[in-house]
Amino acid sequence: MKRDLAAALAVVRRDVWATCAVRPIVREEVDFDGDPLVMLYEPDGSGLGVSVPAGVGPAEQVAELAEQVQEWAVEALAARLLPATWPECPDHPRGHPLRARVVGEVAVWSCPRSGRVVAPVGALAEVVGG
């Protein structure tokens, strides 16, 4: 796996493992162009490929990957008939998920309504609990 993809995924995985009711089966693969790709699978074999964009900084890579993993988690939660909101906004419980974005040079989870930064990506459990 390409180093920047591995590093970004390690950060996002901390949040998934600590705060999400579902966990993916992670497999390293390559896409049609031979570029590194990580597949996130469900036990039923369904999956989503995630990757990081080239030519952007580490914070942007983490935020982009967090959005992709969030998409996988929401689908996986819904498939198990669980509340499909991850990560849940602590300011608006059962309202909406947090949004990954970059503030300064840091990938963060923030409330899409207020813009309040809740936690850096990778440190969600320290703020909202796991």
Side-chain angles (χ1 to χ4, degrees), residues 10-11 19 31 40 45 56 68 82 85-86 90 107 115:
V11 172
T19 66
D31 66 15
L40 307 178
V56 298
Q68 294 172 51
L82 295 169
T85 303
W86 182 83

Side-chain angles (χ1 to χ4, degrees), residues 98-116:
L98 295 172
R99 181 181 77 148
R101 64 186 180 110
V102 175
V103 175
E105 303 273 330
V106 178
V108 298
W109 292 110
S110 66
C111 173
R113 288 188 191 164
S114 69
R116 181 179 83 82

Side-chain angles (χ1 to χ4, degrees), residues 16-77:
V16 174
W17 262 248
T19 66
C20 191
V22 294
R23 290 176 181 83
I25 298 164
V26 180
R27 293 196 186 123
E28 299 173 22
E29 299 180 8
V30 293
D31 66 15
F32 294 111
D33 297 322
D35 293 325
L37 174 75
V38 170
M39 291 295 297
L40 307 178
Y41 287 105
E42 275 286 303
D44 69 4
S46 63
L48 175 73
V50 297
S51 61
V52 294
V56 298
E60 289 82 6
Q61 289 177 345
V62 169
E64 175 64 30
L65 191 59
E67 288 179 2
Q68 294 172 51
V69 171
Q70 180 180 41
E71 180 182 334
W72 175 88
V74 167
E75 292 295 323
L77 288 163

